[in-house]
Amino acid sequence: MDWWVSMPKIELHAHLNGSIRDSTLLELARELGDKGLVSFPDVEHVIVKHDRSLSEVFKLFDLIHILTTDHETVTRITKEVIEDFAAENVVYLELRTTPKKNVSKGMNKRSYIEAVLEGLRAVTMVEVDFLSEPSIDSQANGGIYARSDGYASNGTEKKKIFVRLLLSIDRRESTEAAMETVKLALEMRHQGVVGIDLSGNPIIGEWLTFLPALEFAKEQGLLITLHCGEVPNPVEIHAMLHFLPARIGHACCFGEEEWAKLKSLKIPVEICLTSNIRTETISSLDIHHFADLYNSGHPIVLCTDDSGVFSTSVSGEYSLAASAFGKTGAGTII
Ligand SMILES: CNc1ncnc2c1ncn2[C@@H]1O[C@H](COP(=O)(O)O)[C@@H](O)[C@H]1O
Ligand SMILES: [Zn+2]
């Protein structure tokens, strides 16, 4: 087995609805096609298309959300996504998703997250731990930790994955809707919810709309990660760095001043190589900021972003980094 597959890995930037298997999306589209609710050939064309600009990606998400927004489907995709990450030896997964309302399906933000939690419990292929503290110390937590081959070390010999949830605020949302998500995260923090993500189409919405909810979340001790600098917007990038999030995602469109600020603040960056190349936010890997951040010892972590939408995997990202930047081992993660 290649080292990038067998190596135990962590995944910190994965959007649930971006990580769905193509086969599942096609099956869901076919079902809605049979009911006359979508035109299957049109949807199939969009799902199997591989090169997408950033704006086309967000159109695809609107389509995916039409296919997935009922409780049963949310539970199913959560189960499958966790199984897929576990199969490639991800031992710690922070899965993020935007709590959604869908009146016609009786769904509200809380019931959406409950359906996600149901998906965590539905996994049978591996043991999913979404409550106890992950540890690499064999003396801690009764000796339960993920062995290098991904199997639990507590004698059960069942493969184990630690899963935590981040609730996403979509940039289309209002201050009130963002606050509702933060309050939900606080209520569910004893059920595996550890933080808040700000994501969505980066050309939509204003930082100040989300700030009150993000400040409240931070005060309450939730971990905050922000999609930052996916498009050039120096004013927003500065405001986001000033906020001191626990991590940021992407950091593609930074200028010299922004790099200096990021490095002095030592804010870890979630790097999504395939996503950046596919959406053309970075034109080629030769000029990707991975190399500079890695060489300057800045904390970074390789992630998939949307393994389904971009047909990638965590192992694939390690393999890609190794071939593009000449790394041969596990030294690329935080
Ligand atoms: C490509 N780069 C990206 N930039 C910004 N936001 C992204 C994204 N990829 C995904 N999302 C965010 O995640 C949602 C889908 O998962 P959930 O429905 O939340 O599970 C998208 O609608 C978008 O808001
Ligand atoms: Zn993302």
Side-chain angles (χ1 to χ4, degrees), residues 215-285:
E215 268 174 346
F216 177 60
K218 197 174 169 200
E219 271 163 33
Q220 297 295 315
L222 288 168
L223 179 163
I224 314 286
T225 179
L226 306 171
H227 281 63
C228 179
E230 240 182 324
V231 291
N233 186 345
V235 174
E236 183 179 273
I237 295 171
H238 276 278
M240 284 183 167
L241 296 178
H242 183 73
F243 174 76
L244 288 180
R247 301 196 300 259
I248 60 165
H250 298 299
C252 296
C253 304
F254 274 37
E256 258 175 51
E257 226 183 289
E258 289 89 52
W259 284 128
K261 189 162 178 169
L262 175 85
K263 286 180 182 173
S264 71
L265 295 170
K266 294 196 168 58
I267 299 170
V269 183
E270 303 149 358
I271 302 269
C272 310
L273 297 173
T274 301
S275 164
N276 296 161
I277 296 298
R278 286 287 185 86
T279 57
E280 293 170 356
T281 39
I282 300 285
S283 58
S284 98
L285 285 180

Side-chain angles (χ1 to χ4, degrees), residues 123-134:
V123 174
T124 49
M125 198 188 88
V126 289
E127 184 184 341
V128 176
D129 186 324
F130 55 101
L131 294 176
S132 68
E133 197 61 32

Side-chain angles (χ1 to χ4, degrees), residues 4 8 64 81 87 106 120 136 173 181 193 205 243 282 286 316:
W4 48 85
I64 292 177
V81 165
L120 262 64
I136 50 164
E173 291 183 289
T181 295
V193 175
F243 174 76
I282 300 285
D286 308 340

Side-chain angles (χ1 to χ4, degrees), residues 166-327:
L166 301 174
L167 304 195
S168 301
I169 295 169
D170 188 310
R171 296 183 61 113
R172 287 178 291 201
E173 291 183 289
S174 63
T175 304
E176 293 69 34
M179 195 61 96
E180 195 189 336
T181 295
V182 171
K183 287 186 179 153
L184 182 62
L186 288 170
E187 282 164 31
M188 296 191 130
R189 70 198 307 189
H190 302 297
Q191 296 178 70
V193 175
V194 291
I196 296 289
D197 155 59
L198 176 67
S199 54
N201 192 337
I203 61 167
I204 293 177
E206 296 291 331
W207 168 246
L208 288 180
T209 307
F210 318 114
L211 188 57
L214 292 169
E215 268 174 346
F216 177 60
K218 197 174 169 200
E219 271 163 33
Q220 297 295 315
L222 288 168
L223 179 163
I224 314 286
T225 179
L226 306 171
H227 281 63
C228 179
E230 240 182 324
V231 291
N233 186 345
V235 174
E236 183 179 273
I237 295 171
H238 276 278
M240 284 183 167
L241 296 178
H242 183 73
F243 174 76
L244 288 180
R247 301 196 300 259
I248 60 165
H250 298 299
C252 296
C253 304
F254 274 37
E256 258 175 51
E257 226 183 289
E258 289 89 52
W259 284 128
K261 189 162 178 169
L262 175 85
K263 286 180 182 173
S264 71
L265 295 170
K266 294 196 168 58
I267 299 170
V269 183
E270 303 149 358
I271 302 269
C272 310
L273 297 173
T274 301
S275 164
N276 296 161
I277 296 298
R278 286 287 185 86
T279 57
E280 293 170 356
T281 39
I282 300 285
S283 58
S284 98
L285 285 180
D286 308 340
I287 56 153
H288 197 284
H289 45 291
F290 172 93
D292 176 55
L293 292 178
Y294 181 82
N295 290 331
S296 49
H298 191 84
I300 52 175
V301 58
L302 286 174
C303 303
T304 54
D305 208 10
D306 300 293
S307 55
V309 168
F310 300 123
S311 308
T312 187
S313 59
V314 190
S315 315
E317 295 301 304
Y318 277 83
S319 165
L320 183 62
S323 57
F325 309 109
K327 308 295 171 218

Side-chain angles (χ1 to χ4, degrees), residues 29-92:
R30 205 169 280 119
E31 277 170 23
L32 289 193
D34 289 348
K35 290 180 190 159
L37 297 173
V38 297
S39 152
F40 177 71
D42 293 350
V43 174
E44 184 186 30
H45 176 74
V46 178
I47 293 172
V48 299
K49 186 171 185 262
H50 276 278
D51 287 317
R52 296 184 184 95
S53 66
L54 196 56
S55 64
E56 282 176 326
V57 164
F58 290 103
K59 284 191 196 130
L60 175 62
F61 280 124
D62 287 341
L63 172 64
I64 292 177
H65 290 145
I66 293 172
L67 301 178
T68 61
T69 309
D70 68 70
H71 294 110
E72 206 181 303
T73 308
V74 170
T75 298
R76 170 187 173 176
I77 60 174
T78 306
K79 172 182 183 286
E80 290 180 355
V81 165
I82 292 171
E83 288 181 348
D84 290 348
F85 281 121
E88 55 160 337
N89 291 313
V90 170
V91 293
Y92 179 83

